[in-house]
Amino acid sequence: MQKIKTIQIGSRSFTLKELPVRAVWDLVNNEQQEAAVNMVDRCLDLLRMACPELTQEVLMDLYPSEVEELWQGFQEVNAAFLGVVRRIGLIDILIDSLKPVMMAEFGKAMLTLTDASATSLPPATDQSFGTTDTASS
């Protein structure tokens, strides 16, 4: 019987599902492919199978603590799958393949936030702030 766990984050509900043996089989049998893109695609496929509501766009809008909560739920329902992946040494390949993608996405998000913050600040030459000392007699 497939393990399932539902996690409520704000108004969103995420259903985490245990991955089937075929997912492990496909991951193990494709281990020889060296292109990181293939591993990233396979990881995204696993993510879609494990939690259909968690798209890349939704993931980017979550806070790190919320992502951690989802990861803990994923680990709980997929403990056997992760055990196999760890035993055959694929966990490092999975993590190493996802790091560049996640760093690039976080970099884009941070750049967007920085640009938005910078445009909302008053110009550096704005004289509306500071003192207005004048000579007195």
Side-chain angles (χ1 to χ4, degrees):
M1 185 168 157
Q2 182 184 40
K3 292 181 182 179
I4 297 175
K5 179 177 182 122
T6 302
I7 295 178
Q8 189 74 31
I9 297 178
S11 62
R12 292 182 172 158
S13 180
F14 297 93
T15 303
L16 300 165
K17 300 175 183 178
E18 182 178 21
L19 295 169
V21 172
R22 182 172 305 281
V24 178
W25 177 262
D26 289 345
L27 189 62
V28 171
N29 286 320
N30 291 323
E31 171 184 8
Q32 301 304 320
Q33 294 178 358
E34 294 197 20
V37 173
N38 290 331
M39 182 58 81
V40 170
D41 287 342
R42 285 184 280 157
C43 290
L44 290 174
D45 288 342
L46 292 177
L47 181 62
R48 282 189 285 274
M49 283 193 298
C51 187
E53 306 90 356
L54 189 60
T55 64
Q56 187 173 356
E57 190 65 28
V58 170
L59 179 65
M60 295 308 298
D61 290 334
L62 294 175
Y63 292 99
S65 59
E66 295 169 331
V67 174
E68 181 179 24
E69 188 176 347
L70 290 173
W71 174 247
Q72 289 170 354
F74 176 83
Q75 288 183 97
E76 183 181 322
V77 298
N78 287 288
F81 170 80
L82 292 172
V84 170
V85 169
R86 284 185 180 103
R87 277 193 293 277
I88 60 175
L90 285 179
I91 194 74
D92 293 328
I93 294 170
L94 286 170
I95 291 170
D96 289 344
S97 296
L98 287 175
K99 277 182 188 176
V101 173
M102 294 306 296
M103 292 304 290
E105 290 300 322
F106 282 126
K108 284 188 236 174
M110 292 306 292
L111 186 59
T112 302
L113 289 174
T114 303
D115 289 346
S117 296
T119 58
S120 67
L121 294 174
T125 58
D126 188 357
Q127 297 300 317
S128 63
F129 296 102
T131 62
T132 55
D133 290 337
T134 58
S136 62
S137 47

